[in-house]
């Protein structure tokens, strides 16, 4: 059987998604035997080459990221944005709270020789992306499902339910009721409510759901007498560059 | 005649780095060595300003995908210092367990996937001969088990979810934890066999004495407690870190370089820890060092990956001991935020990690400063390359070999480039 050629690239990020991907591949021998890793800096093959599928994590911050991304698109059939930074900017986009050129002057006193872009961009604003796997990092079970679909030649679809749905399904008490600002109602599920399960609010790391109802969420926030500014600050952490922040910002 | 060795993209390291070495072949001198960090500036310190204390460990862990849990623990503890919060000892013991698990997880990834191919003369772990490859994959399964322990203890192994100032939002039950960690004992044996199999192949003779800095408490092998020890001579409390170690900016990199008194390079990480706390290593680990014929304390940077394996063996045995004694309740204390400043140091996999915060009366961050091990090792990497290349060009002119040596030594230091890139707002 012909092996599927897989490439893995990292732009500017923490590379936690890469580590998660490699963990999944290394602990599933049946999957591992059916793929061939043709490019991966961390495995010793830094050059971009022709591949059936490329997993890209990180966002576009330097000019080098931009050039690399264009080369990757030319050489790859299917592009997968791995993790929130690649999908919609994620936590990297939080940098935009400050003007880059001003900050760099305060910090370094001069510009470093690594040319930076003005803004932080997710990869979809530069090239066409075929699949999105959001999350910080994406849930392992989702990665496993995705790769299985890939090997079977099927299309993978992201779940379109909010995190709230998964909390209810598991009988986890609602954190909004306890007066804790939680982003579960507007965040895409599929993580089995990993944070509320251990008593932490949802931070929105998987980005907004497709059918976002900000007005309903804001009403719930008001009903529970939560601090609106605090909620909005929380939205900024992972969803700075998404419609969730812009719409909520306008409504606020 | 000038010759330039350039490695535009360093493979098998975490993050984007490159290397430039300029040698004068005629006079047999090394003109300059530049270890360049090309990762984009991510400005975590700027992101943290204005954030509430309980959000900080969660954001700080996103600095790195390999040592996330250690970043979160260091952030939580320095915020506790800043707000004058004292947590019960059992919480700090659980943090120590998490940090040790994280160190072993990172070491196994670095040694097996990133560094080992250099010592055996291969490009990648995927090209190893099949019998050795199966052994390496066996050891990666040990790493998977460590990862599962982390998943259970802190929600997620890459970026922990439950670490906050004051303790943990939730912890598993002791019996669930024991079920998992009881399997670790067998894994210690596997690591031992691995060291016996590949240990002697990971020794390249070379000496360059540097300064070695690690945590030390005179009783044990600490990861999240104790004072700094410089060359086993000078004890430095964590709040005095900035007095002894200062950072300089270099034009060719987005990372800063740390130097002792702004002058001398120093080494942090597994080798510095083994050198400093040799006495407190597990007897089995010590015995292995002797068997391999390594003189301790050692001044050979090529031995860092071997030190990481030795340390992994020690830590796995220590983790099972700690888990036996650990109490998982209470898992959290309530505190009242107050205005203050505080710092803390823990041993990340690659060496000492320093977090410093100033918070206002509501516990919101006013100022943040993070100094990572890779930024501290930068100067030492460059000095080591300088020495190695200087010795080599006295008799060798094969540029390819010199290039391979450079790459090998950089990878030995296990640079974590994502970590090193952050800006300091003053």
């Amino acid at each position: 059987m012909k092996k599927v050629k897989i490439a893995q690239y990292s732009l500017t990020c923490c590379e936690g998604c890469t580590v998660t991907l490699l963990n999944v591949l290394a602990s599933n021998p049946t999957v591992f035997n059916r793929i061939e890793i043709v490019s991966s800096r961390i495995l010793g093959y830094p050059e971009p080459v022709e591949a059936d599928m490329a997993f890209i994590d990180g966002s576009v911050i330097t000019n080098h990221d931009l050039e690399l991304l264009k080369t990757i698109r030319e050489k790859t059939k299917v592009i997968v944005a791995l993790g929130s930074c690649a999908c919609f900017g994620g936590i990297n986009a939080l940098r935009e709270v400050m003007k880059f050129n001003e900050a760099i002057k305060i910090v370094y006193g001069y510009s470093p020789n690594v040319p930076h872009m003005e803004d932080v961009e997710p990869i979809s604003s530069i090239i066409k992306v075929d699949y999105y796997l959001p999350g910080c990092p994406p849930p392992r079970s989702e990665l496993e499902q995705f790769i299985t679909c890939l090997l079977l030649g099927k299309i993978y679809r992201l779940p379109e339910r909010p995190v709230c749905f998964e909390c209810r399904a598991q009988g986890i008490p609602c954190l909004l009721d306890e007066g804790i600002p939680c982003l579960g109602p507007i965040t895409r599920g599929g993580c089995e409510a990993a944070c509320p399960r251990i008593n932490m609010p949802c931070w929105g790391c998987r980005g907004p759901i497709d059918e976002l109802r900000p007005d309903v969420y804001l009403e719930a926030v008001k009903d529970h007498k939560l601090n609106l500014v605090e909620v909005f600050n929380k939205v900024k952490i992972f969803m700075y560059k998404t419609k969730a922040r812009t719409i909520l910002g306008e409504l606020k | 005649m000038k010759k330039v060795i350039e490695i535009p993209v360093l493979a098998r390291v975490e993050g984007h780095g490159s290397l430039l070495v300029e040698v004068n072949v005629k006079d047999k001198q090394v003109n300059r060595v530049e270890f360049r960090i090309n990762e984009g500036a991510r400005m975590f310190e700027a992101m943290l300003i204005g954030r509430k204390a309980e959000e900080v460990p969660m954001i700080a862990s996103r600095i790195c995908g390999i040592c996330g849990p250690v970043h979160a623990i260091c952030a939580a503890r320095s915020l506790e210092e800043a707000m004058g919060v004292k947590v019960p000892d059992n919480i700090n013991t659980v943090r120590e367990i998490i940090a040790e698990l994280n160190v072993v997880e990172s070491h196994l990834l670095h040694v097996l996937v990133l560094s080992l191919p250099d010592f055996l003369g291969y490009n990648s772990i995927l090209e190893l001969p099949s019998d050795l490859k199966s052994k390496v994959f066996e050891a990666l399964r040990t790493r998977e088990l460590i990862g599962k322990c982390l998943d259970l203890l802190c929600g997620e192994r890459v970026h922990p979810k439950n670490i906050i100032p004051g303790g943990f939002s939730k912890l598993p039950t002791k019996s669930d934890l024991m079920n998992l960690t009881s399997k670790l004992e067998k894994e210690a044996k596997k690591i031992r066999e691995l060291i016996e199999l590949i240990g002697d192949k990971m020794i390249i003779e070379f000496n360059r004495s540097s300064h070695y800095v690690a945590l030390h408490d005179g009783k044990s092998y600490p990861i999240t407690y104790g004072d700094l020890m410089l060359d086993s001579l000078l004890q430095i409390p964590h709040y005095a870190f900035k007095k002894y170690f200062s950072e300089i900016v270099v034009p060719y990199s987005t990372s800063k370089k740390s130097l002792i008194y702004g002058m001398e390079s120093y080494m942090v990480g597994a080798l510095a820890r083994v050198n400093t706390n040799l006495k407190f290593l597990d007897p089995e680990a010590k015995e292995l060092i002797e068997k391999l014929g390594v003189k301790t304390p050692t001044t050979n940077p090529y031995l860092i990956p071997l030190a990481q394996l030795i340390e992994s063996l020690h830590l796995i045995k220590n983790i099972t001991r700690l888990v036996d004694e650990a109490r998982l309740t209470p898992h959290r204390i309530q505190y009242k935020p107050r205005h203050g400043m505080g710092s803390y140091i823990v041993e990340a996999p690659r060496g000492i990690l320093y977090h410093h915060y100033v918070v206002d009366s509501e516990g919101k961050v006013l100022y943040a400063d993070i100094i990572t091990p890779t930024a501290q090792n930068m100067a030492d990497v460059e000095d080591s390359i300088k020495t190695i290349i200087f010795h080599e060009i006295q008799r060798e002119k094969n540029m390819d070999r010199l290039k391979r040596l450079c790459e090998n030594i950089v990878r030995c230091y296990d640079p974590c480039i994502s970590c090193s890139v952050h800006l300091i707002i003053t």
Side-chain angles (χ1 to χ4, degrees):
Chain A
M1 192 189 287
K2 215 174 143 230
K3 288 186 174 183
V4 181
K5 284 185 181 161
I6 291 204
Q8 174 269 315
Y9 304 100
S10 292
L11 308 177
T12 300
C13 64
C14 76
E15 304 199 357
C17 299
T18 302
V19 174
T20 310
L21 176 69
L22 297 181
N23 285 347
V24 168
L25 293 179
S27 50
N28 289 293
T30 40
V31 170
F32 196 72
N33 292 333
R34 292 190 56 185
I35 59 158
E36 184 191 352
I37 299 175
V38 288
S39 178
S40 168
R41 180 168 41 68
I42 210 161
L43 289 177
Y45 309 111
E47 296 303 318
V49 291
E50 303 274 334
D52 296 319
M53 178 171 276
F55 289 90
I56 307 177
D57 61 346
S59 23
V60 184
I61 290 190
T62 61
N63 293 5
H64 172 258
D65 289 338
L66 186 72
E67 297 309 316
L68 176 67
L69 200 54
K70 286 177 185 159
T71 320
I72 295 170
R73 183 67 265 190
E74 281 164 21
K75 290 179 185 280
T76 320
K77 287 183 197 146
V78 178
I79 297 256
V80 185
L82 186 65
S84 299
C85 296
C87 288
F88 49 83
I91 203 158
N92 274 342
L94 190 56
R95 193 195 80 184
E96 290 183 15
V97 291
M98 194 174 273
K99 278 245 161 52
F100 183 69
N101 286 336
E102 285 169 23
I104 210 105
K105 259 183 222 147
I106 303 170
V107 174
Y108 286 93
Y110 57 88
S111 293
N113 78 336
V114 181
H116 281 71
M117 314 243 302
E118 189 65 24
D119 286 336
V120 177
E121 298 290 349
I123 62 174
S124 57
S125 60
I126 314 285
I127 58 166
K128 185 179 158 275
V129 175
D130 302 289
Y131 288 101
Y132 293 90
L133 293 177
C136 190
R140 259 180 97 116
S141 55
E142 185 166 77
L143 256 173
E144 280 163 4
Q145 281 169 29
F146 176 79
I147 295 171
T148 313
C149 282
L150 155 79
L151 293 177
L152 294 173
K154 294 196 165 147
I155 292 174
Y156 179 79
R157 280 185 222 286
L158 281 176
E160 272 167 37
R161 51 176 188 263
V163 174
C164 275
F165 182 91
E166 292 170 356
C167 262
R168 287 286 158 85
Q170 295 178 66
I172 300 165
C174 183
L175 290 164
L176 286 175
D177 287 344
E178 291 171 29
I180 299 168
C182 177
L183 301 185
I186 54 168
T187 304
R188 187 188 298 278
C191 55
E192 308 296 322
C195 291
R197 205 168 51 202
I198 55 168
N199 222 356
M200 286 295 265
C202 172
W203 302 93
C205 79
R206 275 169 68 76
I209 38 172
D210 292 335
E211 286 171 33
L212 190 64
R213 294 286 303 278
D215 45 332
V216 178
Y217 181 55
L218 279 188
E219 219 158 273
V221 167
K222 276 177 200 154
D223 282 351
H224 288 89
K225 298 197 173 55
L226 297 176
N227 185 339
L228 209 57
V229 180
E230 207 176 292
V231 172
F232 191 59
N233 265 339
K234 215 163 229 182
V235 171
K236 279 185 189 167
I237 297 180
F238 283 103
M239 302 199 259
Y240 195 87
K241 256 206 135 86
T242 64
K243 57 183 179 180
R245 182 183 73 99
T246 38
I247 299 176
L248 280 175
E250 277 164 25
L251 285 178
K252 194 181 73 156
Chain B
M1 195 177 64
K2 262 193 246 167
K3 275 220 168 145
V4 176
I5 303 171
E6 200 179 0
I7 302 162
V9 182
L10 268 171
R12 278 188 279 126
V13 293
E14 202 277 348
H16 303 79
S18 62
L19 192 68
L20 187 131
V21 182
E22 197 184 283
V23 290
N24 188 330
V25 183
K26 201 172 132 225
D27 297 341
K28 296 183 171 168
Q29 292 294 325
V30 183
N31 288 355
R32 65 175 168 152
V33 174
E34 289 181 4
F35 179 24
R36 299 173 165 183
I37 304 287
N38 308 324
E39 189 90 20
R42 293 165 74 217
M43 302 220 276
F44 266 88
E45 282 106 331
M47 293 177 189
L48 287 171
I49 288 171
R51 287 281 155 203
K52 285 165 70 181
E54 62 261 34
E55 296 171 350
V56 172
M58 198 272 303
I59 298 176
S61 104
R62 262 75 185 181
I63 291 172
C64 180
I66 298 177
C67 44
V70 179
H71 270 286
I73 290 169
C74 195
R77 290 205 72 162
S78 36
L79 283 163
E80 282 164 8
E81 291 275 324
M83 297 187 291
V85 180
K86 277 225 55 93
V87 299
D89 286 345
N90 75 313
I91 288 176
N92 284 335
T93 310
V94 179
R95 285 173 173 164
E96 171 79 15
I97 295 170
I98 292 173
E100 293 192 2
L101 285 165
N102 190 196
V103 170
V104 179
E105 195 204 17
S106 164
H107 280 355
L108 292 179
L109 176 75
H110 171 248
V111 176
L112 300 171
V113 180
L114 309 183
S115 208
L116 187 62
D118 278 333
F119 289 102
L120 304 175
Y122 295 94
N123 262 333
S124 163
I125 172 184
L126 301 174
E127 293 168 14
L128 298 180
S130 59
D131 56 329
L132 196 60
K133 198 167 151 185
S134 63
K135 280 274 182 335
V136 169
F137 272 78
E138 184 72 22
L140 283 178
R141 271 191 278 284
T142 305
R143 183 173 173 272
E144 181 63 28
L145 180 67
I146 304 265
K148 282 203 177 111
C149 296
L150 278 172
D151 282 346
L152 181 73
L153 265 174
C154 50
E156 222 280 350
R157 65 184 81 168
V158 174
H159 296 310
K161 295 176 184 300
N162 62 352
I163 298 171
I164 42 174
F168 298 90
S169 66
K170 196 176 180 182
L171 279 176
T173 60
K174 177 117 178 190
S175 60
D176 283 353
L177 183 62
M178 294 285 277
N179 277 344
L180 212 49
T181 49
S182 59
K183 294 182 194 146
L184 280 177
E185 229 145 296
K186 256 197 237 144
E187 305 302 316
K189 217 178 124 226
K190 277 194 209 157
I191 298 289
R192 193 199 156 98
E193 283 166 10
L194 187 74
I195 299 174
E196 282 165 347
L197 182 74
I198 58 173
D200 56 341
K201 296 186 184 73
M202 298 171 74
I203 302 174
I204 295 177
E205 288 301 330
F206 172 72
N207 277 306
R208 178 193 151 254
S209 73
S210 179
H211 298 288
Y212 303 91
V213 184
L215 287 179
H216 174 86
D217 82 333
K219 291 196 288 287
S220 56
Y221 196 96
I223 299 294
T224 60
Y225 52 92
D227 285 336
L228 284 179
M229 189 59 113
L230 169 61
D231 287 339
S232 302
L233 285 171
L234 181 66
Q235 197 163 348
I236 304 165
H238 56 81
Y239 49 80
F241 179 82
K242 281 267 176 162
K243 208 176 152 192
Y244 292 87
F245 306 97
S246 51
E247 287 188 303
I248 56 163
V249 277
V250 279
Y252 52 80
S253 172
T254 41
S255 166
K256 297 187 176 186
K257 281 206 294 197
S258 278
L259 298 165
I260 301 176
Y261 288 128
M263 288 185 290
E264 294 222 17
S265 60
Y266 62 101
M267 187 200 277
V268 296
L271 192 75
R273 289 196 285 265
V274 170
N275 271 350
T276 309
N277 294 314
L278 193 67
K279 263 199 286 186
F280 310 107
L281 272 181
D282 192 88
E284 203 181 332
K286 264 195 264 183
E287 186 198 313
L288 271 176
I289 298 178
E290 272 166 36
K291 242 190 186 169
L292 286 165
V294 177
K295 275 212 191 93
T296 45
T298 172
T299 51
N300 180 356
Y302 279 114
L303 293 182
I304 295 172
L306 188 59
Q308 289 180 327
L309 276 184
I310 297 277
E311 194 180 60
S312 300
L313 175 64
H314 164 84
L315 290 177
I316 288 181
K317 294 185 96 178
N318 196 42
I319 289 162
T320 46
R321 260 196 304 272
L322 285 174
V323 169
D324 277 343
E325 293 158 15
R327 280 181 302 114
L328 300 185
T329 47
H331 60 84
R332 178 184 194 172
I333 56 157
Q334 297 297 334
Y335 61 89
K336 213 171 154 281
R338 76 161 204 223
H339 178 69
M341 64 179 253
S343 61
Y344 203 77
I345 292 177
V346 302
E347 288 278 1
R350 291 156 189 80
I352 51 174
L353 167 69
Y354 172 85
H355 277 230
H356 173 98
Y357 298 99
V358 181
V359 295
D360 68 9
S361 51
E362 289 168 42
K364 281 190 182 153
V365 175
L366 297 173
Y367 170 87
D369 183 10
I370 298 166
I371 298 175
T372 59
T374 299
Q376 300 181 61
N377 269 336
M378 286 268 294
D380 207 56
V381 175
E382 289 178 354
D383 286 352
S384 283
I385 294 173
K386 220 176 262 174
T387 318
I388 289 166
I389 299 300
F390 179 79
H391 283 298
E392 286 293 322
I393 52 169
Q394 306 308 321
R395 51 194 160 80
E396 176 91 46
K397 279 185 192 143
N398 181 347
M399 280 297 159
D400 275 349
R401 191 182 128 79
L402 292 184
K403 197 172 161 180
R404 271 204 309 280
L405 282 170
C406 289
E407 283 192 76
N408 190 348
I409 192 70
V410 173
R411 281 189 206 114
C412 278
Y413 276 88
D414 191 7
C416 179
I417 291 168
S418 304
C419 271
S420 68
V421 180
H422 58 279
L423 303 186
I424 292 151
I425 309 296
T426 43

